[in-house]
Structure formats: structure tokens, C-alpha cells
Amino acid sequence: MGRAPCCDKTKVKRGPWSPDEDSTLIRFLETHGTAGNWIALPQKAGLKRCGKSCRLRWLNYLRPNIKHGNFTEDEDEIICTLYTQMGSRWSLIASNLPGRTDNDVKNYWNTKLKKKLLAGKVISLITTNNYINSNKFPEKSCNRTTPHDLDSSISTPPSPSTYDHRHHHNHLHFSSFSSQPQMISSSSPPPFPILTDHMGYGSSSTLVNSTHEISLMSSDPTPHHFSQLGHVSHEFSTNLNNSSSSIFTSSQEGGSSSVSVSADNSSSLAMENSSNKSLSADGSVVHEDLQGGVLMDFSFGIGGPIYNEFVNSSSGIWFQDQKASHEDEAGLSYCCYPNLGDHQSSSYADTKQAQGLINQSVINQY
DNA sequence: AAATTCGTCAACCGCTCCTCC
DNA sequence: AGGAGGAGCGGTTGACGAATT
């Protein structure tokens, strides 16, 4: 037997509030206050609303000194800092931002700040890693995020009791497949840049090894079997000892993506995409010089921009498509597992195959 | 120009927390 | 101590305008 609902849902009005309702609520609250009982308030005020709805309307919209929109850089910073420290405790975070409501902060985080931070973090992460000149693979690790843990790829806030600030310094933290987030520091220097692109529908990837050779890998139609392509129809350079080399691949939608890899001592990678529209709206990062990191895939032609994918070579990062454009693509995720040797995959057409492969490999190897 | 997709955000839902009796 | 019920919270939904195809 469940708990009785707070009001009769069939007898209360729902949906957007009218100006009349707003003024009725404001007048009542200014005169009487809540009298410590929101549930009884609508009846007293003459509103055909649920008490909870009244409370929400007042707290999030009508009460004095509410600020809407236009979060400042300072506020961004506060939100990011507090989110890192305490997670999605929106009311607590909002209490540090005068005039902001928990709902506002939550919406802002979910719609804008998360993406902004993600892009920034990726740059930050990549900037901290200098791995073109490294020639050793990191220790075995299985740092992964689940497709549902996009937040985790930014930084999974641990529970306050276990959080150790010493480990939170300019590294991404990943949670494993276990339901409980884990703090795993990506302290091992990543080995080599690895990039993948979706040349055609099958999985393909480009692997840059310690001698700066590039291998283009592709899966045949059979899952679990990857083989090195004998040849590729894409122009690429096999010599990264030059100060600058380029790899050209084609995106699925026909636009061509150009990745310039500079393998000189500065260990920088510059990337650009000649198909502007295939960049995500918030993908300005691809125009920046990235230190020792490689952008994976630029976009999929599935009806809209997606988050750009990056890989930190010591840790796979899962990125999830935004809202599915097509039903059967709902919840797609892309993955990269640099620590699994040659097996790289990100093409959405075989995500499930890759996932199966990766999961098996993980079981076998870790 | 119309259709489709995306982004935003107010509002809702259901759960836990807290207080009072 | 424990049960009832209101308050508070965080996740999610859905309407709607904007942007894109």
C-alpha cells in the first residue's frame, strides 16, 4: 500500500501558471505567508492547484530577488567547483548563488555548463598529458565510464566521505561499470595518440604507435575480428617524424575531416574539420591546438551534432549521442579502449559489436 | 516555405528527510 | 520509539520557440 497522494490530481489544475494565478498566489503569500502548510495553502488562497505546485511556483519563480538567465563566469566557477565537491546537490549549490534556484542551477548545468565544462576539461586533460614522445603503454587499467555516466567523464564526484581532494587535480576521473562510482586517477602517462574515424560504416581506427607509424585498422563485417587494412582509400602519411603530418579521412556524410598531427617536440596536435557543419555547436575545441591528444570522430550524420569524442590514451572515454535522432540509435555510445592493444572502435554502426569485443577483452585481460 | 530537430526551462513526479505528536 | 504527513530535493518530462534541413 503506497502513501496517499498529497492532493487529488483530478481536481487540481496542472501545467503553466496564468498571470492571474501568479498574482493570487503572490497576494496571499504577502498577506498570510505559508502558515507553515503548503498543502493547505491553495484552498485558503482560492487556487485550484496542488500545494507542491504552489510551493514550486513561489520558490522558483515568484519570490522576490530571483535572478533568471545569464549566469556569470563567477557563477559558472562556483557551480563547477561545488559540483565537483558535492555532486548534484543542487539546493546546496544554489544556496551559494544569491538569487538562483536549485531548479535554475540544475537546468543550467544540464543544458549548458556540462557541455562547456566537458569541452574545457578535455582540453585541460589533453593539455596535461604529453604522450606523443612517450613510448610505453600505461599500466593495465580499466578506467571507463558507462554510457550513462557522461557526467563522470567530466569528473565523478565521490561521496563526500570518500573524496580526497589530493587526487583531484586536472585529471579526469572515471567510474567503472560498477554501479558505485570509483575514483580512479588517470595518472599514468598515456602512450600514443589514437584516433578513430568512421571511414565508411564499419569500425575503423587509426593507431599511432611508438615509432610514429600509423596503422589503419578496420573491422570486417564479423564482430570480434579486426584486421589491419592492406590499403586504404584515404590519404594519410605514415611518417610522423616530420614536424607535421596529416591524415585525411572521410566522414560518413561526405565531408572530409583533416587531422594534422604534429609530432615534433612540442607534441602538439592541431585539428580541423573542413566540413564545418559536422562540428558540434559547442565543438569549438576542435579549432584549438591540442597538446598531445587526438580527437576521435567529428560527428555522425545522424541528424544532428553530437558531442565530439576525445580519447585520453590511458583511459577510454564514453561519449553518448545527444538525444537520439533515430529510434534505434537511442542511447548510442562510443568507446575507445587504448589499453586493449590494437582494438579501437568508435563507429556507431558497430558500437554494440565493439562493446561486446571490449567487454570480452576486458574480462580476458583484466 | 514547410518539416524536422534541437535547446531551453517550467513544471511535475516520486522519493527521502524532517518534524511533530 | 515510531508513525503520519508536510517539506524538500533531484531526476525527468513536455511544451514551445529557435535553428536547421
Side-chain angles (χ1 to χ4, degrees):
Chain A
M1 192 174 96
R3 184 178 167 167
C6 62
C7 59
D8 186 345
K9 306 284 182 197
T10 63
K11 292 180 180 170
V12 297
K13 189 179 171 218
R14 299 167 69 184
W17 281 63
S18 69
D20 279 353
E21 289 176 309
D22 280 350
S23 54
T24 301
L25 181 59
I26 291 169
R27 244 182 293 122
F28 183 87
L29 284 168
E30 284 176 350
T31 313
H32 304 93
T34 65
N37 192 337
W38 281 104
I39 299 299
L41 185 146
Q43 198 180 6
K44 291 179 187 169
L47 286 163
K48 292 184 168 54
R49 289 278 181 175
C50 170
K52 289 177 78 167
S53 180
C54 293
R55 178 186 160 271
L56 210 63
R57 183 66 180 169
W58 173 257
L59 292 177
N60 287 343
Y61 204 82
L62 298 176
R63 79 184 146 101
N65 305 321
I66 292 279
K67 275 198 281 182
H68 287 291
N70 299 326
F71 279 73
T72 64
E73 290 287 325
D74 284 350
E75 287 176 316
D76 285 3
E77 202 174 318
I78 292 170
I79 295 169
C80 291
T81 302
L82 294 178
Y83 182 87
T84 302
Q85 291 173 352
M86 61 179 75
S88 57
R89 308 281 297 275
W90 302 119
S91 58
L92 274 175
I93 294 172
S95 68
N96 287 274
L97 301 166
R100 301 294 186 187
T101 69
D102 53 352
N103 212 33
D104 263 355
V105 174
K106 179 174 57 184
N107 282 333
Y108 181 57
W109 171 265
N110 284 328
T111 59
K112 293 176 187 168
L113 201 51
K114 185 161 68 178
K115 296 172 195 169
K116 188 174 166 184
L117 184 64
L118 177 60
K121 269 288 186 184
V122 168
I123 289 177
S124 170
L125 163 77
I126 288 170
T127 303
T128 60
N129 291 328
N130 176 18
Y131 55 83
I132 276 196
N133 292 324
S134 168
N135 58 3
K136 61 178 183 187
F137 276 98
E139 296 302 311
K140 280 182 182 178
S141 65
C142 189
N143 304 342
R144 293 160 293 171
T145 59
T146 68
H148 299 293
D149 280 344
L150 183 58
D151 280 1
S152 305
S153 68
I154 295 166
S155 178
T156 301
S159 65
S161 60
T162 60
Y163 184 56
D164 185 345
H165 289 263
R166 289 170 302 177
H167 294 293
H168 185 72
H169 180 65
N170 227 5
H171 290 291
L172 292 182
H173 301 117
F174 303 92
S175 59
S176 73
F177 280 140
S178 68
S179 57
Q180 294 301 315
Q182 294 178 2
M183 284 290 288
I184 301 173
S185 173
S186 58
S187 56
S188 307
F192 320 113
I194 296 167
L195 63 91
T196 72
D197 201 358
H198 34 78
M199 297 177 289
Y201 249 41
S203 165
S204 56
S205 67
T206 311
L207 188 65
V208 183
N209 68 14
S210 58
T211 56
H212 295 156
E213 293 169 343
I214 296 173
S215 301
L216 290 176
M217 309 300 294
S218 179
S219 65
D220 64 20
T222 311
H224 314 302
H225 178 234
F226 280 59
S227 58
Q228 185 162 353
L229 287 174
H231 69 280
V232 291
S233 59
H234 303 273
E235 181 185 347
F236 68 102
S237 166
T238 57
N239 183 1
L240 281 181
N241 289 313
N242 297 332
S243 61
S244 180
S245 302
S246 295
I247 303 166
F248 296 95
T249 65
S250 295
S251 65
Q252 284 169 310
E253 56 271 45
S256 77
S257 304
S258 162
V259 178
S260 301
V261 180
S262 167
D264 61 15
N265 286 339
S266 70
S267 302
S268 68
L269 292 163
M271 301 170 192
E272 60 181 17
N273 191 326
S274 61
S275 176
N276 288 335
K277 64 181 180 181
S278 72
L279 298 177
S280 74
D282 59 340
S284 56
V285 288
V286 301
H287 293 301
E288 304 202 14
D289 287 340
L290 305 175
Q291 301 290 324
V294 174
L295 175 68
M296 299 166 56
D297 293 348
F298 297 92
S299 173
F300 292 105
I302 54 174
I306 60 167
Y307 300 117
N308 283 323
E309 298 133 283
F310 289 79
V311 53
N312 161 10
S313 293
S314 69
S315 312
I317 302 176
W318 292 72
F319 284 89
Q320 197 172 18
D321 188 11
Q322 290 176 329
K323 244 177 196 169
S325 301
H326 304 301
E327 204 177 320
D328 59 350
E329 291 163 7
L332 277 177
S333 56
Y334 313 98
C335 50
C336 177
Y337 283 83
N339 292 340
L340 296 182
D342 291 339
H343 298 150
Q344 309 300 330
S345 174
S346 74
S347 195
Y348 87 81
D350 69 341
T351 292
K352 283 178 182 164
Q353 297 172 10
Q355 214 164 327
L357 167 67
I358 285 158
N359 286 340
Q360 280 195 358
S361 299
V362 168
I363 291 167
N364 293 337
Q365 298 187 13
Y366 295 96

